[in-house]
Amino acid sequence: MENNIEITIDEIKKVAKECKFKEPTQEQIEYIVEHYNDTADEDPSGYWRLWVEQLLYDADVIKTN
């Protein structure tokens, strides 16, 4: 089953803040939006915040201290 779920920039930034990442750049946000549905398809029993967190790592967003 292919997902077609919308994710907003504000949701991405919120997860980044909650998970103690620096604010993602526009390029990193575009990467996350582009790969979001593929990540959901690969982990159908997962949760959207975990998908975003993994994509933050995949997009090389830096963690804060």
Side-chain angles (χ1 to χ4, degrees), residues 2 7 17 50 59:
E2 286 190 28
I7 184 81
K17 184 176 182 179
L50 295 176

Side-chain angles (χ1 to χ4, degrees), residues 2 5 7 10-14 16 23 28 31 33 37-38 40-41 46-48 51-53 56-57 64-65:
E2 286 190 28
I5 305 166
I7 184 81
D10 288 338
E11 290 170 324
I12 294 168
K13 289 181 177 181
K14 183 177 180 181
E23 186 167 314
Q28 291 167 324
Y31 174 89
V33 169
N37 283 306
D38 290 338
D41 289 339
Y47 182 57
W48 74 271
W51 300 331
V52 173
E53 183 179 3
L56 288 163
Y57 280 110
T64 61
N65 292 332

Side-chain angles (χ1 to χ4, degrees), residues 5-55:
I5 305 166
E6 295 286 327
I7 184 81
T8 67
I9 292 170
D10 288 338
E11 290 170 324
I12 294 168
K13 289 181 177 181
K14 183 177 180 181
V15 173
K17 184 176 182 179
E18 290 172 354
C19 294
K20 299 189 173 61
F21 285 91
K22 290 190 176 184
E23 186 167 314
T25 65
Q26 184 62 35
E27 185 177 288
Q28 291 167 324
I29 288 171
E30 289 172 9
Y31 174 89
I32 292 167
V33 169
E34 183 178 318
H35 291 89
Y36 182 76
N37 283 306
D38 290 338
T39 301
D41 289 339
E42 291 170 7
D43 184 16
S45 64
Y47 182 57
W48 74 271
R49 289 179 182 263
L50 295 176
W51 300 331
V52 173
E53 183 179 3
Q54 182 58 53
L55 288 166

